[in-house]
PDB file of all heavy atoms in Angstrom:
ATOM      1  N   ASP A  93       8.212 -39.477  -1.644  1.00 93.00           N
ATOM      2  CA  ASP A  93       7.488 -39.329  -0.377  1.00 93.00           C
ATOM      3  C   ASP A  93       7.559 -37.905   0.176  1.00 93.00           C
ATOM      4  O   ASP A  93       6.997 -37.631   1.243  1.00 93.00           O
ATOM      5  CB  ASP A  93       8.048 -40.295   0.673  1.00 93.00           C
ATOM      6  CG  ASP A  93       7.800 -41.759   0.294  1.00 93.00           C
ATOM      7  OD1 ASP A  93       6.816 -42.024  -0.434  1.00 93.00           O
ATOM      8  OD2 ASP A  93       8.586 -42.619   0.734  1.00 93.00           O
ATOM      9  N   ASN A  94       8.257 -37.019  -0.534  1.00 94.00           N
ATOM     10  CA  ASN A  94       8.443 -35.652  -0.047  1.00 94.00           C
ATOM     11  C   ASN A  94       7.552 -34.652  -0.790  1.00 94.00           C
ATOM     12  O   ASN A  94       7.874 -33.461  -0.865  1.00 94.00           O
ATOM     13  CB  ASN A  94       9.905 -35.237  -0.230  1.00 94.00           C
ATOM     14  CG  ASN A  94      10.857 -36.140   0.517  1.00 94.00           C
ATOM     15  OD1 ASN A  94      10.970 -36.059   1.733  1.00 94.00           O
ATOM     16  ND2 ASN A  94      11.541 -37.023  -0.210  1.00 94.00           N
ATOM     17  N   LEU A  95       6.438 -35.115  -1.346  1.00 94.00           N
ATOM     18  CA  LEU A  95       5.557 -34.256  -2.126  1.00 94.00           C
ATOM     19  C   LEU A  95       5.084 -33.071  -1.281  1.00 94.00           C
ATOM     20  O   LEU A  95       4.536 -33.247  -0.192  1.00 94.00           O
ATOM     21  CB  LEU A  95       4.355 -35.046  -2.632  1.00 94.00           C
ATOM     22  CG  LEU A  95       3.482 -34.358  -3.680  1.00 94.00           C
ATOM     23  CD1 LEU A  95       4.275 -34.113  -4.959  1.00 94.00           C
ATOM     24  CD2 LEU A  95       2.243 -35.198  -3.977  1.00 94.00           C
ATOM     25  N   VAL A  96       5.310 -31.864  -1.787  1.00 95.00           N
ATOM     26  CA  VAL A  96       4.914 -30.636  -1.083  1.00 95.00           C
ATOM     27  C   VAL A  96       3.490 -30.281  -1.490  1.00 95.00           C
ATOM     28  O   VAL A  96       3.201 -30.129  -2.678  1.00 95.00           O
ATOM     29  CB  VAL A  96       5.872 -29.484  -1.434  1.00 95.00           C
ATOM     30  CG1 VAL A  96       5.426 -28.191  -0.750  1.00 95.00           C
ATOM     31  CG2 VAL A  96       7.303 -29.833  -1.038  1.00 95.00           C
ATOM     32  N   ASP A  97       2.588 -30.150  -0.508  1.00 95.00           N
ATOM     33  CA  ASP A  97       1.201 -29.843  -0.859  1.00 95.00           C
ATOM     34  C   ASP A  97       0.749 -28.470  -0.370  1.00 95.00           C
ATOM     35  O   ASP A  97      -0.298 -27.976  -0.799  1.00 95.00           O
ATOM     36  CB  ASP A  97       0.253 -30.924  -0.343  1.00 95.00           C
ATOM     37  CG  ASP A  97       0.344 -31.126   1.167  1.00 95.00           C
ATOM     38  OD1 ASP A  97       1.031 -30.331   1.834  1.00 95.00           O
ATOM     39  OD2 ASP A  97      -0.264 -32.082   1.666  1.00 95.00           O
ATOM     40  N   SER A  98       1.520 -27.819   0.522  1.00 97.00           N
ATOM     41  CA  SER A  98       1.102 -26.505   0.993  1.00 97.00           C
ATOM     42  C   SER A  98       2.258 -25.794   1.688  1.00 97.00           C
ATOM     43  O   SER A  98       3.249 -26.422   2.077  1.00 97.00           O
ATOM     44  CB  SER A  98      -0.088 -26.616   1.961  1.00 97.00           C
ATOM     45  OG  SER A  98       0.307 -27.256   3.158  1.00 97.00           O
ATOM     46  N   SER A  99       2.108 -24.481   1.832  1.00 97.00           N
ATOM     47  CA  SER A  99       3.033 -23.691   2.645  1.00 97.00           C
ATOM     48  C   SER A  99       2.259 -22.532   3.247  1.00 97.00           C
ATOM     49  O   SER A  99       1.134 -22.222   2.834  1.00 97.00           O
ATOM     50  CB  SER A  99       4.212 -23.173   1.811  1.00 97.00           C
ATOM     51  OG  SER A  99       3.788 -22.149   0.927  1.00 97.00           O
ATOM     52  N   GLN A 100       2.866 -21.891   4.245  1.00 97.00           N
ATOM     53  CA  GLN A 100       2.233 -20.762   4.905  1.00 97.00           C
ATOM     54  C   GLN A 100       3.214 -19.591   4.978  1.00 97.00           C
ATOM     55  O   GLN A 100       4.420 -19.780   5.085  1.00 97.00           O
ATOM     56  CB  GLN A 100       1.770 -21.158   6.308  1.00 97.00           C
ATOM     57  CG  GLN A 100       0.733 -22.276   6.290  1.00 97.00           C
ATOM     58  CD  GLN A 100       0.207 -22.615   7.667  1.00 97.00           C
ATOM     59  OE1 GLN A 100      -0.366 -21.768   8.344  1.00 97.00           O
ATOM     60  NE2 GLN A 100       0.401 -23.862   8.077  1.00 97.00           N
ATOM     61  N   ASP A 101       2.648 -18.403   4.905  1.00 97.00           N
ATOM     62  CA  ASP A 101       3.427 -17.171   4.891  1.00 97.00           C
ATOM     63  C   ASP A 101       2.782 -16.216   5.894  1.00 97.00           C
ATOM     64  O   ASP A 101       1.664 -15.744   5.687  1.00 97.00           O
ATOM     65  CB  ASP A 101       3.410 -16.589   3.471  1.00 97.00           C
ATOM     66  CG  ASP A 101       4.235 -15.322   3.322  1.00 97.00           C
ATOM     67  OD1 ASP A 101       4.561 -14.694   4.341  1.00 97.00           O
ATOM     68  OD2 ASP A 101       4.536 -14.949   2.171  1.00 97.00           O
ATOM     69  N   MET A 102       3.479 -15.942   7.003  1.00 97.00           N
ATOM     70  CA  MET A 102       2.963 -15.062   8.056  1.00 97.00           C
ATOM     71  C   MET A 102       3.908 -13.878   8.224  1.00 97.00           C
ATOM     72  O   MET A 102       5.108 -14.074   8.408  1.00 97.00           O
ATOM     73  CB  MET A 102       2.830 -15.830   9.368  1.00 97.00           C
ATOM     74  CG  MET A 102       1.740 -16.889   9.320  1.00 97.00           C
ATOM     75  SD  MET A 102       1.787 -18.043  10.706  1.00 97.00           S
ATOM     76  CE  MET A 102       2.973 -19.244  10.098  1.00 97.00           C
ATOM     77  N   ARG A 103       3.385 -12.660   8.160  1.00 96.00           N
ATOM     78  CA  ARG A 103       4.223 -11.467   8.141  1.00 96.00           C
ATOM     79  C   ARG A 103       3.799 -10.468   9.214  1.00 96.00           C
ATOM     80  O   ARG A 103       2.614 -10.224   9.415  1.00 96.00           O
ATOM     81  CB  ARG A 103       4.153 -10.779   6.769  1.00 96.00           C
ATOM     82  CG  ARG A 103       4.451 -11.711   5.615  1.00 96.00           C
ATOM     83  CD  ARG A 103       4.458 -10.981   4.292  1.00 96.00           C
ATOM     84  NE  ARG A 103       4.732 -11.911   3.199  1.00 96.00           N
ATOM     85  CZ  ARG A 103       5.163 -11.555   2.003  1.00 96.00           C
ATOM     86  NH1 ARG A 103       5.391 -10.283   1.730  1.00 96.00           N
ATOM     87  NH2 ARG A 103       5.382 -12.468   1.069  1.00 96.00           N
ATOM     88  N   LEU A 104       4.790  -9.892   9.863  1.00 97.00           N
ATOM     89  CA  LEU A 104       4.589  -8.793  10.799  1.00 97.00           C
ATOM     90  C   LEU A 104       5.536  -7.673  10.398  1.00 97.00           C
ATOM     91  O   LEU A 104       6.754  -7.879  10.305  1.00 97.00           O
ATOM     92  CB  LEU A 104       4.882  -9.219  12.236  1.00 97.00           C
ATOM     93  CG  LEU A 104       4.985  -8.083  13.270  1.00 97.00           C
ATOM     94  CD1 LEU A 104       3.640  -7.360  13.408  1.00 97.00           C
ATOM     95  CD2 LEU A 104       5.455  -8.610  14.618  1.00 97.00           C
ATOM     96  N   ASN A 105       4.982  -6.488  10.136  1.00 96.00           N
ATOM     97  CA  ASN A 105       5.790  -5.317   9.804  1.00 96.00           C
ATOM     98  C   ASN A 105       5.404  -4.160  10.715  1.00 96.00           C
ATOM     99  O   ASN A 105       4.214  -3.943  11.011  1.00 96.00           O
ATOM    100  CB  ASN A 105       5.578  -4.899   8.347  1.00 96.00           C
ATOM    101  CG  ASN A 105       6.463  -5.665   7.391  1.00 96.00           C
ATOM    102  OD1 ASN A 105       7.657  -5.432   7.319  1.00 96.00           O
ATOM    103  ND2 ASN A 105       5.860  -6.607   6.658  1.00 96.00           N
ATOM    104  N   LEU A 106       6.422  -3.424  11.150  1.00 96.00           N
ATOM    105  CA  LEU A 106       6.215  -2.214  11.936  1.00 96.00           C
ATOM    106  C   LEU A 106       6.802  -1.044  11.145  1.00 96.00           C
ATOM    107  O   LEU A 106       7.946  -1.116  10.676  1.00 96.00           O
ATOM    108  CB  LEU A 106       6.903  -2.320  13.293  1.00 96.00           C
ATOM    109  CG  LEU A 106       6.481  -3.513  14.167  1.00 96.00           C
ATOM    110  CD1 LEU A 106       7.292  -3.524  15.451  1.00 96.00           C
ATOM    111  CD2 LEU A 106       4.988  -3.457  14.478  1.00 96.00           C
ATOM    112  N   GLY A 107       6.028   0.001  10.999  1.00 95.00           N
ATOM    113  CA  GLY A 107       6.478   1.134  10.220  1.00 95.00           C
ATOM    114  C   GLY A 107       6.261   2.450  10.949  1.00 95.00           C
ATOM    115  O   GLY A 107       5.404   2.556  11.839  1.00 95.00           O
ATOM    116  N   TYR A 108       7.036   3.434  10.574  1.00 96.00           N
ATOM    117  CA  TYR A 108       6.885   4.775  11.136  1.00 96.00           C
ATOM    118  C   TYR A 108       7.064   5.772   9.989  1.00 96.00           C
ATOM    119  O   TYR A 108       8.022   5.688   9.207  1.00 96.00           O
ATOM    120  CB  TYR A 108       7.928   5.034  12.217  1.00 96.00           C
ATOM    121  CG  TYR A 108       7.884   6.436  12.786  1.00 96.00           C
ATOM    122  CD1 TYR A 108       6.825   6.847  13.583  1.00 96.00           C
ATOM    123  CD2 TYR A 108       8.898   7.350  12.502  1.00 96.00           C
ATOM    124  CE1 TYR A 108       6.772   8.130  14.100  1.00 96.00           C
ATOM    125  CE2 TYR A 108       8.861   8.638  13.018  1.00 96.00           C
ATOM    126  CZ  TYR A 108       7.794   9.026  13.813  1.00 96.00           C
ATOM    127  OH  TYR A 108       7.736  10.294  14.328  1.00 96.00           O
ATOM    128  N   THR A 109       6.132   6.693   9.856  1.00 94.00           N
ATOM    129  CA  THR A 109       6.195   7.681   8.784  1.00 94.00           C
ATOM    130  C   THR A 109       5.879   9.054   9.338  1.00 94.00           C
ATOM    131  O   THR A 109       5.057   9.192  10.250  1.00 94.00           O
ATOM    132  CB  THR A 109       5.224   7.315   7.642  1.00 94.00           C
ATOM    133  OG1 THR A 109       5.245   8.355   6.656  1.00 94.00           O
ATOM    134  CG2 THR A 109       3.806   7.124   8.138  1.00 94.00           C
ATOM    135  N   TRP A 110       6.560  10.065   8.815  1.00 94.00           N
ATOM    136  CA  TRP A 110       6.353  11.414   9.298  1.00 94.00           C
ATOM    137  C   TRP A 110       6.497  12.418   8.149  1.00 94.00           C
ATOM    138  O   TRP A 110       7.159  12.152   7.167  1.00 94.00           O
ATOM    139  CB  TRP A 110       7.335  11.749  10.415  1.00 94.00           C
ATOM    140  CG  TRP A 110       8.767  11.879   9.976  1.00 94.00           C
ATOM    141  CD1 TRP A 110       9.460  13.025   9.685  1.00 94.00           C
ATOM    142  CD2 TRP A 110       9.689  10.806   9.756  1.00 94.00           C
ATOM    143  NE1 TRP A 110      10.747  12.743   9.317  1.00 94.00           N
ATOM    144  CE2 TRP A 110      10.920  11.374   9.353  1.00 94.00           C
ATOM    145  CE3 TRP A 110       9.616   9.401   9.878  1.00 94.00           C
ATOM    146  CZ2 TRP A 110      12.042  10.619   9.055  1.00 94.00           C
ATOM    147  CZ3 TRP A 110      10.731   8.641   9.575  1.00 94.00           C
ATOM    148  CH2 TRP A 110      11.935   9.245   9.175  1.00 94.00           C
ATOM    149  N   LYS A 111       5.845  13.555   8.320  1.00 91.00           N
ATOM    150  CA  LYS A 111       5.893  14.629   7.334  1.00 91.00           C
ATOM    151  C   LYS A 111       7.158  15.446   7.573  1.00 91.00           C
ATOM    152  O   LYS A 111       7.363  15.999   8.650  1.00 91.00           O
ATOM    153  CB  LYS A 111       4.663  15.517   7.484  1.00 91.00           C
ATOM    154  CG  LYS A 111       4.400  16.423   6.305  1.00 91.00           C
ATOM    155  CD  LYS A 111       3.662  15.706   5.194  1.00 91.00           C
ATOM    156  CE  LYS A 111       3.210  16.677   4.122  1.00 91.00           C
ATOM    157  NZ  LYS A 111       2.511  16.032   3.022  1.00 91.00           N
ATOM    158  N   PHE A 112       8.042  15.519   6.567  1.00 91.00           N
ATOM    159  CA  PHE A 112       9.295  16.260   6.702  1.00 91.00           C
ATOM    160  C   PHE A 112       9.089  17.746   6.434  1.00 91.00           C
ATOM    161  O   PHE A 112       9.609  18.603   7.143  1.00 91.00           O
ATOM    162  CB  PHE A 112      10.338  15.685   5.754  1.00 91.00           C
ATOM    163  CG  PHE A 112      11.654  16.378   5.804  1.00 91.00           C
ATOM    164  CD1 PHE A 112      12.500  16.229   6.891  1.00 91.00           C
ATOM    165  CD2 PHE A 112      12.055  17.204   4.760  1.00 91.00           C
ATOM    166  CE1 PHE A 112      13.718  16.898   6.940  1.00 91.00           C
ATOM    167  CE2 PHE A 112      13.271  17.861   4.787  1.00 91.00           C
ATOM    168  CZ  PHE A 112      14.109  17.706   5.886  1.00 91.00           C
ATOM    169  N   ASN A 113       8.326  18.034   5.387  1.00 88.00           N
ATOM    170  CA  ASN A 113       7.954  19.414   5.085  1.00 88.00           C
ATOM    171  C   ASN A 113       6.640  19.386   4.303  1.00 88.00           C
ATOM    172  O   ASN A 113       5.958  18.361   4.281  1.00 88.00           O
ATOM    173  CB  ASN A 113       9.062  20.156   4.322  1.00 88.00           C
ATOM    174  CG  ASN A 113       9.467  19.449   3.042  1.00 88.00           C
ATOM    175  OD1 ASN A 113       8.639  18.807   2.388  1.00 88.00           O
ATOM    176  ND2 ASN A 113      10.737  19.553   2.668  1.00 88.00           N
ATOM    177  N   LYS A 114       6.300  20.479   3.660  1.00 85.00           N
ATOM    178  CA  LYS A 114       5.024  20.566   2.963  1.00 85.00           C
ATOM    179  C   LYS A 114       4.869  19.477   1.904  1.00 85.00           C
ATOM    180  O   LYS A 114       3.771  18.963   1.668  1.00 85.00           O
ATOM    181  CB  LYS A 114       4.885  21.947   2.331  1.00 85.00           C
ATOM    182  CG  LYS A 114       3.604  22.145   1.541  1.00 85.00           C
ATOM    183  CD  LYS A 114       3.569  23.514   0.879  1.00 85.00           C
ATOM    184  CE  LYS A 114       2.316  23.674   0.018  1.00 85.00           C
ATOM    185  NZ  LYS A 114       2.286  24.994  -0.676  1.00 85.00           N
ATOM    186  N   ASP A 115       5.969  19.131   1.241  1.00 87.00           N
ATOM    187  CA  ASP A 115       5.890  18.220   0.093  1.00 87.00           C
ATOM    188  C   ASP A 115       6.339  16.794   0.393  1.00 87.00           C
ATOM    189  O   ASP A 115       5.801  15.849  -0.183  1.00 87.00           O
ATOM    190  CB  ASP A 115       6.741  18.775  -1.056  1.00 87.00           C
ATOM    191  CG  ASP A 115       6.205  20.092  -1.590  1.00 87.00           C
ATOM    192  OD1 ASP A 115       4.975  20.244  -1.645  1.00 87.00           O
ATOM    193  OD2 ASP A 115       7.014  20.961  -1.942  1.00 87.00           O
ATOM    194  N   TRP A 116       7.322  16.635   1.275  1.00 93.00           N
ATOM    195  CA  TRP A 116       7.955  15.331   1.437  1.00 93.00           C
ATOM    196  C   TRP A 116       7.556  14.638   2.740  1.00 93.00           C
ATOM    197  O   TRP A 116       7.475  15.270   3.788  1.00 93.00           O
ATOM    198  CB  TRP A 116       9.478  15.467   1.400  1.00 93.00           C
ATOM    199  CG  TRP A 116      10.016  15.739   0.033  1.00 93.00           C
ATOM    200  CD1 TRP A 116      10.270  16.953  -0.528  1.00 93.00           C
ATOM    201  CD2 TRP A 116      10.353  14.767  -0.960  1.00 93.00           C
ATOM    202  NE1 TRP A 116      10.748  16.809  -1.811  1.00 93.00           N
ATOM    203  CE2 TRP A 116      10.812  15.475  -2.104  1.00 93.00           C
ATOM    204  CE3 TRP A 116      10.325  13.367  -0.997  1.00 93.00           C
ATOM    205  CZ2 TRP A 116      11.233  14.835  -3.265  1.00 93.00           C
ATOM    206  CZ3 TRP A 116      10.746  12.720  -2.147  1.00 93.00           C
ATOM    207  CH2 TRP A 116      11.182  13.451  -3.267  1.00 93.00           C
ATOM    208  N   ARG A 117       7.346  13.333   2.613  1.00 93.00           N
ATOM    209  CA  ARG A 117       7.100  12.470   3.766  1.00 93.00           C
ATOM    210  C   ARG A 117       8.153  11.364   3.766  1.00 93.00           C
ATOM    211  O   ARG A 117       8.470  10.802   2.719  1.00 93.00           O
ATOM    212  CB  ARG A 117       5.699  11.848   3.695  1.00 93.00           C
ATOM    213  CG  ARG A 117       5.429  10.770   4.733  1.00 93.00           C
ATOM    214  CD  ARG A 117       3.998  10.264   4.668  1.00 93.00           C
ATOM    215  NE  ARG A 117       3.068  11.270   5.154  1.00 93.00           N
ATOM    216  CZ  ARG A 117       2.773  11.456   6.429  1.00 93.00           C
ATOM    217  NH1 ARG A 117       3.357  10.709   7.365  1.00 93.00           N
ATOM    218  NH2 ARG A 117       1.915  12.380   6.791  1.00 93.00           N
ATOM    219  N   PHE A 118       8.708  11.046   4.921  1.00 96.00           N
ATOM    220  CA  PHE A 118       9.686   9.969   5.060  1.00 96.00           C
ATOM    221  C   PHE A 118       9.059   8.797   5.817  1.00 96.00           C
ATOM    222  O   PHE A 118       8.087   8.962   6.560  1.00 96.00           O
ATOM    223  CB  PHE A 118      10.934  10.444   5.808  1.00 96.00           C
ATOM    224  CG  PHE A 118      11.777  11.419   5.030  1.00 96.00           C
ATOM    225  CD1 PHE A 118      12.654  12.276   5.678  1.00 96.00           C
ATOM    226  CD2 PHE A 118      11.700  11.492   3.654  1.00 96.00           C
ATOM    227  CE1 PHE A 118      13.434  13.174   4.970  1.00 96.00           C
ATOM    228  CE2 PHE A 118      12.475  12.385   2.924  1.00 96.00           C
ATOM    229  CZ  PHE A 118      13.346  13.231   3.594  1.00 96.00           C
TER     230      PHE A 118
END
Side-chain angles (χ1 to χ4, degrees):
D93 294 333
N94 300 285
L95 191 64
V96 178
D97 58 8
S98 67
S99 72
Q100 298 184 60
D101 182 343
M102 292 168 275
R103 307 184 181 200
L104 168 64
N105 275 286
L106 303 177
Y108 177 70
T109 176
W110 69 98
K111 196 83 171 179
F112 180 72
N113 56 33
K114 178 183 177 182
D115 295 323
W116 287 93
R117 171 176 289 276
F118 291 158

